[in-house]
Amino acid sequence: MKIAFCSAEVAPFSQAGGLGDVIGSLPRAIAEQQDTQVVIITPLYGLVDTAAHRLEKTDIAFGVHFHGKTYPISIWQGVLPRSEVPVYFVDNYDLFGSRKQVYPYGQPEWELEGFLVFNQAVFELLRRVHYRPDVLHVHDWHTGSIATTLAEIRPYDQYFSRTKSVLTIHNLHYQGLYGDINWLKEGILKADAITTVSPTYAQEIQTPEFGAGMDAIIRDVSGKVSGILNGIDTTLYNPETDAFITAHYNRSNFAEGKHRNKEALQVEMGLPVDSEAPLLGFIGRLADQKGLDLILPTMKALEADGHKCQWVLLGTGDPKMEEALKALNAKSQNIRSFIGFNTAMAQKIYAASDMFVMPSAFEPCGLGQLISLRYGAVPIVRGVGGLVDTITDVRNQPHRGNGFKFAEYSAAKLKENVLAAVEYYHNKSLWAELVTRGMEEDHSWKPSAEAYKVLYQRLAHPAPVSA
Ligand code: ADP
């Protein structure tokens, strides 16, 4: 079985959020399944460090005709770290090479042109490398139009006549809406199967509350929609080996390890060095979805009430939110923000934090809570999407719970939950039980890779229709 992943982001080459994580790790787990081959195709943005990743320019070059222009394309090749999965990079300087960000903020035409040309290039590239996929697995709106093109060409194009498409929706709120074309919607209608990144999100997007205007369309095709929970790369995210953190630890010695990482982060960020003060972390794209409008008033209210919580926030995105976070540094000695996409800083925060907050308005899966569980930072989340599927509130299930979870989207609820977590934190034995239970959980990719394989097999070899 041959699978081709096509994505706007692939960690560690390029990343803006969870999509990069997923495409940087799921293909490896799929390639580890028996009789499965995977390749990844992605644009070569200017931000990709070709030398550090040892990418090589191949001699494959061709032109893509699009809207009356011909775009010269050349192909680079690399390998997904710790695997043999080939990664092909589609190179065109004007469209990608000159981009310093995966998604050019405020330049929608440039972004759209780039992804549509990329999507055409994918078909030619697959021919040139003699890789005829059983399944083209595309992700979000950026590569969604590949499913549309595939459906159009399949009846007469021998090469792709048996290829099927899977479109995974990582976030329904980004739809690629340009003029009267909604690129995600086109992909949803034409893909052979749709997956979302958690079972709960697969249900939620069929409701007006979470459907982002697409719920009716998704309900119409609900027979081909399913949810497969994301995992994390447990080799990369491992507090026993993580090269970015000050002290390594595991579930048996986490108290000492986290204590040392916390102290190091407090020093680095200029926070008071205090091992008793609970340290709360936030890492995420600065977008409305992530609930910063709850976090900011909660931090303020807790400080006003005299609670000595410390906060470290890491993010990049909406320029207004970046400004708001930067301003916090001067306002409180207990709050520090760091603006930018910084993997090393992220891992230091996961390792140092006692708690990790994700009060999302919606959350297709969420990786932050899975990584924080692995690093022994107890998640405090709003129960939506993948957060429903992965976090169990310890107050309801004292022997199974792994975090704190609330329903109402309000700063008052977040504050109430932070306070509940802080109370728990001060009970050393209860806290140790909660942290170790989270650290013991297995959120590796294996079960998801198996579920994807079952789906690919069903598409590639459909059961005969009985008379
Ligand atoms: P989303 O996909 O909505 O961006 P997820 O929680 O699914 O959110 O995944 C976010 C991933 O990106 C996590 O691995 C998180 O650690 C990482 N991340 C987000 N923002 C940053 C940042 N500013 N610096 C480093 N890593 C980040």
Side-chain angles (χ1 to χ4, degrees):
M1 177 114 56
K2 289 184 173 165
I3 315 299
F5 270 67
C6 307
S7 168
E9 302 175 35
V10 184
F13 309 104
S14 60
Q15 186 172 13
L19 177 61
D21 266 308
V22 173
I23 312 302
S25 47
L26 171 61
R28 190 184 298 110
I30 288 176
E32 280 164 11
Q33 304 278 302
Q34 234 181 2
D35 304 324
T36 319
Q37 240 181 298
V38 187
V39 301
I40 304 174
I41 310 172
T42 191
L44 187 67
Y45 309 108
L47 57 99
V48 177
D49 189 336
T50 51
H53 295 301
R54 302 202 185 147
L55 309 187
E56 286 179 3
K57 193 169 181 176
T58 69
D59 55 11
I60 302 172
F62 51 86
V64 166
H65 308 293
F66 181 74
H67 282 190
K69 264 172 84 175
T70 301
Y71 295 82
I73 300 290
S74 47
I75 302 299
W76 290 61
Q77 189 175 351
V79 180
L80 190 68
R82 291 179 281 117
S83 81
E84 290 175 8
V85 174
V87 186
Y88 295 107
F89 294 85
V90 172
D91 179 23
N92 171 287
Y93 182 78
D94 291 340
L95 294 177
F96 310 119
S98 51
R99 274 199 211 173
K100 296 288 171 241
Q101 286 173 309
V102 175
Y103 307 113
Y105 255 93
Q107 301 184 75
E109 265 119 46
W110 188 27
E111 181 175 41
L112 178 67
E113 186 186 11
F115 286 126
L116 294 184
V117 170
F118 170 81
N119 293 351
Q120 296 303 319
V122 161
F123 291 94
E124 186 58 22
L125 163 60
L126 288 167
R127 283 182 227 272
R128 297 290 182 108
V129 298
H130 308 292
Y131 189 86
R132 192 200 298 250
D134 294 289
V135 177
L136 265 167
H137 191 163
V138 303
H139 300 269
D140 279 348
W141 78 265
H142 327 103
T143 51
S145 78
I146 292 174
T148 316
T149 307
L150 177 67
E152 279 162 15
I153 65 173
R154 203 161 39 191
Y156 58 85
D157 188 325
Q158 269 288 312
Y159 196 83
F160 293 103
S161 62
R162 297 215 324 266
T163 301
K164 298 293 194 316
S165 61
V166 174
L167 166 62
T168 294
I169 301 173
H170 298 255
N171 194 330
L172 188 66
H173 279 67
Y174 301 103
Q175 300 180 355
L177 186 57
Y178 293 94
D180 357 321
I181 304 184
N182 180 318
W183 290 97
L184 182 63
K185 178 177 154 195
E186 298 297 309
I188 288 174
L189 293 174
K190 293 291 163 53
D192 296 303
I194 312 281
T195 65
T196 66
V197 288
S198 70
T200 294
Y201 195 58
Q203 296 308 314
E204 285 176 346
I205 58 174
Q206 302 186 40
T207 66
E209 188 187 353
F210 293 100
M214 303 265 260
D215 47 296
I217 289 152
I218 298 170
R219 281 198 301 277
D220 280 350
V221 297
S222 64
K224 65 177 183 183
V225 178
S226 62
I228 299 177
L229 196 64
N230 276 341
I232 54 168
D233 181 337
T234 48
T235 305
L236 183 72
Y237 296 119
N238 182 356
E240 278 193 286
T241 53
D242 188 326
F244 294 122
I245 66 179
T246 299
H248 290 148
Y249 59 95
N250 55 34
R251 52 182 179 257
S252 321
N253 59 10
F254 80 89
E256 170 61 17
K258 287 192 71 72
H259 169 79
R260 287 185 50 208
N261 286 301
K262 179 163 154 181
E263 194 175 275
L265 190 69
Q266 285 169 331
V267 171
E268 181 173 351
M269 300 299 276
L271 287 163
V273 175
D274 180 348
S275 62
E276 287 303 307
L279 180 65
L280 293 102
F282 167 87
I283 300 168
R285 286 179 299 108
L286 302 183
D288 290 340
Q289 171 196 344
K290 298 295 177 181
L292 281 152
D293 55 334
L294 307 191
I295 297 176
L296 268 53
T298 299
M299 294 190 303
K300 222 171 167 181
L302 288 168
E303 184 148 58
D305 292 352
H307 293 284
K308 65 170 189 178
C309 297
Q310 296 186 354
W311 299 78
V312 175
L313 309 117
L314 167 66
T316 177
D318 180 340
K320 277 206 209 93
M321 290 192 200
E322 288 190 353
E323 284 313 310
L325 287 201
K326 273 188 213 158
L328 293 169
N329 291 320
K331 286 190 191 137
S332 165
Q333 62 158 355
N334 290 315
I335 304 172
R336 288 293 171 268
S337 68
F338 190 104
I339 304 301
F341 195 94
N342 188 320
T343 304
M345 181 54 79
Q347 284 166 230
K348 287 185 213 176
I349 296 174
Y350 287 121
S353 299
D354 299 301
M355 297 145 206
F356 189 81
V357 288
M358 284 181 80
S360 305
F362 64 94
E363 196 57 76
C365 176
L367 299 177
Q369 81 281 16
L370 303 182
I371 304 170
S372 68
L373 284 169
R374 182 135 174 93
Y375 280 80
V378 173
I380 302 174
V381 308
R382 176 157 181 260
V384 280
L387 298 170
V388 172
D389 297 330
T390 54
I391 301 302
T392 304
D393 194 301
V394 68
R395 291 165 295 186
N396 300 336
Q397 301 210 38
H399 302 295
R400 278 198 46 224
N402 57 4
F404 295 82
K405 184 162 70 175
F406 58 96
E408 187 185 292
Y409 190 83
S410 75
K413 272 287 160 207
L414 175 59
K415 181 181 167 199
E416 190 182 303
N417 278 265
V418 170
L419 285 173
V422 167
E423 196 181 324
Y424 230 85
Y425 169 80
H426 288 302
N427 183 327
K428 292 262 186 283
S429 63
L430 269 187
W431 190 254
E433 255 178 59
L434 177 59
V435 171
T436 41
R437 204 159 41 233
M439 290 184 77
E440 273 162 13
E441 286 180 1
D442 178 7
H443 292 288
S444 67
W445 273 110
K446 200 157 180 279
S448 322
E450 284 165 2
Y452 279 111
K453 189 169 177 200
V454 169
L455 173 66
Y456 299 150
Q457 264 165 338
R458 187 160 54 72
L459 290 171
H461 310 289
V465 184
S466 49

